[in-house]
Amino acid sequence: MARIVNIIERTVSLASGMSNAGISFDTMTASAVVLVSDQLRNGKPLVGLAFDSIGRYGHGALLQERFIPRILQASPESYGAAAGAGIDPFKLWALMMKNEKAGGHGERAGAVGLLDAAAWDLQAKIEHKPLWALLNERFPGARQPSRTAIYASGGHYRPGVGAKGLADEIARYQDQGYRRFKIKTGALSIAEDQQRIEAVIRTLGDNASALSVDFNGCLAEHNALPWLEALQPYGLAWLEEPVEALDYQLLAHCARHSQTPVSTGENLFSLADTRNLLRYGGLRPGRDMLNVDISLGYGIVEYTRIIELMATLGWNKSACIPHAGHLLAAHAAAGLGLGGHETAPAHPLLGPYPNDYRVVDGYLQLGDKPGVGLEHMPGLQRLFTEMIP
Amino acid sequence: MARIVNIIERTVSLASGMSNAGISFDTMTASAVVLVSDQLRNGKPLVGLAFDSIGRYGHGALLQERFIPRILQASPESYGAAAGAGIDPFKLWALMMKNEKAGGHGERAGAVGLLDAAAWDLQAKIEHKPLWALLNERFPGARQPSRTAIYASGGHYRPGVGAKGLADEIARYQDQGYRRFKIKTGALSIAEDQQRIEAVIRTLGDNASALSVDFNGCLAEHNALPWLEALQPYGLAWLEEPVEALDYQLLAHCARHSQTPVSTGENLFSLADTRNLLRYGGLRPGRDMLNVDISLGYGIVEYTRIIELMATLGWNKSACIPHAGHLLAAHAAAGLGLGGHETAPAHPLLGPYPNDYRVVDGYLQLGDKPGVGLEHMPGLQRLFTEMIP
């Protein structure tokens, strides 16, 4: 049984000049977490690492106020694995959520998700295997558990960057081995955004089915159908988050009127909210997709429950392509056999993969190092070197 | 135009031996906020005060990380009232929510709600009137804007306190002028809880319609109908939060099978979530009630939008009885003409009213002092005296 002896948290800036149809990222932050265990390997304590997913600010304060103390005050028996060495992430999860009311799945879901992710990283290291392998053992079914389909997410609105610059960005991703792509849409007029989309489609040799577009929830009742109708003829891969996360009624309206598949869920952070999306959002199994964010949505433990729920409602987990370019999600996509993985190649921190990962012809081949491998990411290496005791 | 020159926040313990069917309150915290303006009265700066509602922990960390800096860094023009002195809480609200993604209405909603409440308190003081009067001016329609129907909320599960102790508690509230009451239910067996309920009904001279019961969301598919059927014959005033906040489907099932009115919403913290509750929860205008928590749900600004939304869906604001015994909610209930106000007479901090308030025959007569009056509450007086510069 392992004991968690210390938890270190640091908030870092994710400032960039990017924006999507909804928000700017100039003041965006993220939390990094190091969970220190009493297990030694080569004389050093094994650690579990986690790094926030993007877009909802860091979770340091909530971690410090509620969730870190709950873990450090708990007895190791309360989260120890029943058999073998290590910890049980499900027990740890229950412990964190004690005396938390139902509902209100916001920042809390991201804070718990970080500690859940760190727990899985630690447990994989204790078992000396990559997380994709651990997940595949516990939740079998993936055909190629070290590998996942992948797409390059980019095409943000940047001041001074027009359709030409956007097409160049996509061409760079092609050179890096990506074969499917997603760009932002909805912040300009339909005609202006069509120019962006068409420039990218030309770059893709007219293969529009390799491109999807992300509205970041910006469509409203008055303009949703005109937008959908304008984009329909292209035959895009999918339309992402066309409307506000919680407006299931308008989403159902869009899903009914769209021939193009719809993907959404990244701003719903719980099993309970995902259930409502599936009940009321008008999404169709076999056509549409869910991009719930694993780290921001209470972590792997909750995500396995979401997959179970989906199965009871006729959904295959191949419909899952988690938000948002996070190495944790790559392990889940591969090890759990999800539909694919989003990656953000241009993101300075979260883009570059560890050097034993390979992006080849639209697929990501994950590495073999124990755990998730955040400490081997070029963008996070230095941060975690500083943080790991 | 007023300028907000400083914002002071302090986290205080709400520890108590109480519990409901869901959680224990032993580690519960709350935030107190003081918004300091550049407006002087009698040589002292006018301040806006706020104190958390109960049950979701303090919001200090989020306030410090995101929302306080946004206000202090903003120009006074960006939140100043268009005409006259003071600030515009709607502008301040928009400023706080800039670069916040949709969805995920959890802790953030409580943090923004605190600053919104403090802004309304400040503005009422700048206009030198109680908040109920300010609200009644801006949103007319209340017949008696300084007065609201009220009920005493209590009857928690306490170790060693049985049906007799519970009945005694209710009798004390009767002596204090209360005529309607609510107790916790659902944490024991049906038979055991019926003993509690029947003991209280006897104390009420067999007037069961003066009593409601609160499940705190604990019923599930397997036991919801047996519970509802067991309680039906009493003719209680309402059944509160029978099921988990976000399970609209099970709620609709309960609403369909209940002759007793249903009240819920306290664990939904936004307009978007309330809209889903009204769309999918099977609640009936004219029978059922909404107890959305104003402070935890983005404050007064969002609450006025919820009332607008309700009107478009055929709901009267008399169906609103906000959670949870908060003086801010008393002002909203009176000034906006809501259906009533919950109060927690036994709560050491939030129970006792300022000494110019009167509870008479089931109604609360609010005082005339400018603002909300948190600094005049016996349980909070000392805290705010320490905090106010």
Side-chain angles (χ1 to χ4, degrees):
Chain A
M1 202 160 54
R3 183 191 188 98
I4 296 165
V5 294
N6 192 16
I7 303 176
I8 302 159
E9 179 278 332
R10 190 189 287 187
T11 303
V12 300
S13 169
L14 288 183
S16 78
M18 302 191 310
S19 66
N20 63 36
I23 68 164
S24 131
F25 286 80
D26 287 345
T27 58
M28 190 53 66
T29 57
S31 291
V33 166
V34 177
L35 211 147
V36 186
S37 80
D38 65 351
Q39 306 290 297
L40 298 179
R41 187 154 300 159
N42 306 325
K44 284 188 170 178
L46 282 180
V47 293
L49 309 183
F51 193 82
D52 252 325
S53 190
I54 293 185
R56 308 283 315 198
Y57 299 95
H59 296 87
L62 275 189
L63 290 169
Q64 301 290 358
E65 276 189 344
R66 303 223 291 273
F67 300 105
I68 289 177
R70 278 183 207 165
I71 294 178
L72 293 180
Q73 285 158 19
S75 73
E77 290 74 24
S78 62
Y79 55 75
I87 61 172
D88 180 340
F90 282 82
K91 285 187 190 166
L92 194 77
W93 197 95
L95 188 159
M96 286 193 278
M97 288 299 285
K98 208 186 156 195
N99 288 328
E100 290 289 325
K101 285 190 173 188
H105 303 295
E107 282 78 4
R108 174 177 80 183
V112 171
L114 278 166
L115 293 169
D116 168 282
W120 283 99
D121 185 48
L122 173 61
Q123 184 57 25
K125 286 171 180 163
I126 288 173
E127 298 188 27
H128 209 66
K129 57 188 72 149
L131 181 60
W132 58 258
L134 175 62
L135 291 175
N136 183 240
E137 271 175 36
R138 302 237 182 142
F139 309 94
R143 266 182 247 156
Q144 298 184 291
S146 69
R147 192 170 182 262
T148 179
I150 197 168
Y151 76 89
S153 182
H156 288 76
Y157 295 103
R158 290 167 205 267
V161 177
K164 172 72 172 65
L166 175 62
D168 291 348
E169 179 188 345
I170 299 301
R172 281 196 300 277
Y173 300 152
Q174 286 183 307
D175 292 345
Q176 294 167 28
Y178 293 94
R179 296 295 172 262
R180 299 175 79 88
F181 312 89
K182 187 178 77 188
I183 64 171
K184 300 297 180 187
T185 195
L188 304 175
S189 71
I190 293 180
E192 286 168 310
D193 253 355
Q194 282 183 309
Q195 286 179 20
R196 287 164 43 89
I197 291 168
E198 288 168 15
V200 173
I201 292 175
R202 280 193 299 275
T203 302
L204 301 179
D206 290 332
N207 177 19
S209 72
L211 177 65
S212 54
V213 295
D214 188 353
F215 286 97
N216 288 98
C218 73
L219 298 185
E221 228 168 315
H222 70 278
N223 68 354
L225 291 198
W227 268 98
L228 298 188
E229 279 160 23
L231 301 191
Q232 223 63 263
Y234 296 122
L236 297 169
W238 70 77
L239 310 177
E240 191 158 308
E241 211 186 19
V243 304
E244 199 210 297
L246 288 160
D247 194 345
Y248 307 130
Q249 185 173 295
L250 185 55
L251 176 66
H253 183 64
C254 290
R256 209 165 31 242
H257 288 86
S258 179
Q259 272 101 57
T260 311
V262 171
S263 176
T264 194
E266 71 182 77
N267 285 304
L268 302 174
F269 304 116
S270 68
L271 176 68
D273 285 292
T274 306
R275 190 179 55 194
N276 284 334
L277 172 65
L278 296 178
R279 281 178 177 167
Y280 306 118
L283 301 181
R284 288 175 241 174
R287 187 194 75 164
D288 298 322
M289 276 148 285
L290 258 71
N291 72 338
V292 171
D293 188 303
I294 301 176
S295 179
L296 289 174
Y298 291 111
I300 299 271
V301 164
E302 183 89 340
Y303 202 75
T304 62
R305 294 177 184 144
I306 288 175
I307 292 174
E308 273 177 40
L309 167 80
M310 289 173 69
T312 68
L313 297 173
W315 285 81
N316 192 292
K317 60 190 175 182
S318 65
C320 296
I321 306 183
H323 184 259
H326 193 293
L327 197 60
L328 177 78
H331 280 265
L336 298 174
L338 308 181
H341 176 60
E342 172 175 13
T343 188
H347 195 285
L349 296 185
L350 301 182
Y353 282 106
N355 62 17
D356 56 338
Y357 283 56
R358 296 282 171 267
V359 176
V360 180
D361 213 17
Y363 284 83
L364 174 68
Q365 174 65 46
L366 282 76
D368 275 325
K369 294 207 179 79
V372 173
L374 291 176
E375 64 272 55
H376 307 300
M377 291 180 73
L380 297 178
Q381 210 158 21
R382 198 175 132 199
L383 171 69
F384 281 115
T385 302
E386 286 174 18
M387 287 180 70
I388 294 172
Chain B
M1 202 160 54
R3 183 191 188 99
I4 296 165
V5 294
N6 192 16
I7 302 177
I8 302 159
E9 179 278 331
R10 190 188 287 186
T11 302
V12 300
S13 169
L14 288 183
S16 78
M18 302 190 310
S19 66
N20 62 36
I23 68 164
S24 129
F25 286 80
D26 287 345
T27 58
M28 190 53 66
T29 57
S31 291
V33 166
V34 177
L35 211 147
V36 186
S37 80
D38 66 351
Q39 305 291 297
L40 298 178
R41 187 153 300 158
N42 305 325
K44 285 187 169 179
L46 282 180
V47 293
L49 309 183
F51 192 82
D52 252 326
S53 190
I54 293 185
R56 308 284 314 199
Y57 299 94
H59 297 86
L62 275 189
L63 290 169
Q64 301 291 357
E65 276 189 344
R66 302 223 291 273
F67 301 104
I68 289 176
R70 279 184 206 164
I71 294 178
L72 293 180
Q73 285 158 18
S75 73
E77 290 74 24
S78 63
Y79 54 75
I87 61 172
D88 179 340
F90 282 82
K91 285 188 190 166
L92 194 77
W93 197 95
L95 188 158
M96 287 193 277
M97 288 299 286
K98 208 186 156 195
N99 288 328
E100 291 289 325
K101 285 191 172 187
H105 303 295
E107 282 78 4
R108 174 176 81 183
V112 171
L114 278 166
L115 293 169
D116 168 283
W120 283 99
D121 185 48
L122 173 61
Q123 184 57 23
K125 285 171 180 163
I126 289 173
E127 298 188 27
H128 208 66
K129 56 188 72 147
L131 181 60
W132 58 258
L134 175 62
L135 291 175
N136 182 240
E137 272 175 36
R138 302 237 182 142
F139 309 95
R143 266 182 247 156
Q144 298 184 292
S146 68
R147 191 170 182 262
T148 179
I150 197 168
Y151 76 89
S153 182
H156 289 77
Y157 295 103
R158 291 168 205 266
V161 177
K164 172 71 172 65
L166 175 62
D168 290 347
E169 179 188 345
I170 300 300
R172 281 196 300 277
Y173 300 153
Q174 285 183 307
D175 292 345
Q176 293 167 28
Y178 293 95
R179 295 294 172 263
R180 298 175 81 87
F181 312 89
K182 187 178 77 188
I183 64 171
K184 300 297 179 187
T185 195
L188 304 175
S189 71
I190 293 180
E192 286 168 310
D193 253 355
Q194 282 183 309
Q195 286 179 19
R196 287 163 44 88
I197 291 167
E198 288 169 15
V200 174
I201 292 175
R202 279 194 299 275
T203 302
L204 301 179
D206 290 332
N207 177 19
S209 72
L211 177 65
S212 54
V213 294
D214 188 353
F215 286 97
N216 287 99
C218 73
L219 297 185
E221 228 168 314
H222 70 278
N223 67 354
L225 292 198
W227 269 97
L228 298 188
E229 279 160 23
L231 301 191
Q232 222 64 263
Y234 296 122
L236 297 169
W238 70 77
L239 310 178
E240 191 158 308
E241 211 185 19
V243 304
E244 199 210 297
L246 288 160
D247 195 345
Y248 307 130
Q249 186 172 296
L250 185 55
L251 177 66
H253 183 64
C254 289
R256 209 166 31 243
H257 288 86
S258 179
Q259 271 102 57
T260 311
V262 171
S263 175
T264 194
E266 70 181 77
N267 285 304
L268 302 174
F269 304 116
S270 68
L271 176 68
D273 286 292
T274 306
R275 190 179 55 194
N276 284 334
L277 172 65
L278 296 179
R279 281 178 178 167
Y280 306 118
L283 301 180
R284 288 175 242 175
R287 187 194 74 164
D288 298 322
M289 276 148 283
L290 258 70
N291 72 337
V292 171
D293 188 303
I294 301 176
S295 179
L296 289 174
Y298 292 111
I300 299 272
V301 164
E302 183 90 340
Y303 203 75
T304 62
R305 294 177 184 145
I306 288 175
I307 292 173
E308 274 177 40
L309 166 80
M310 289 173 68
T312 68
L313 297 173
W315 285 80
N316 193 291
K317 60 190 174 182
S318 66
C320 296
I321 306 183
H323 184 259
H326 193 293
L327 197 61
L328 178 78
H331 280 264
L336 297 174
L338 308 181
H341 176 61
E342 173 175 13
T343 188
H347 195 285
L349 296 185
L350 301 183
Y353 282 106
N355 61 18
D356 56 337
Y357 284 56
R358 295 282 171 266
V359 176
V360 180
D361 212 17
Y363 285 83
L364 174 68
Q365 175 66 46
L366 283 76
D368 275 325
K369 294 207 180 78
V372 174
L374 291 175
E375 65 273 55
H376 307 300
M377 291 180 74
L380 297 178
Q381 210 158 21
R382 198 175 131 200
L383 171 70
F384 281 115
T385 302
E386 286 174 17
M387 288 180 69
I388 294 172

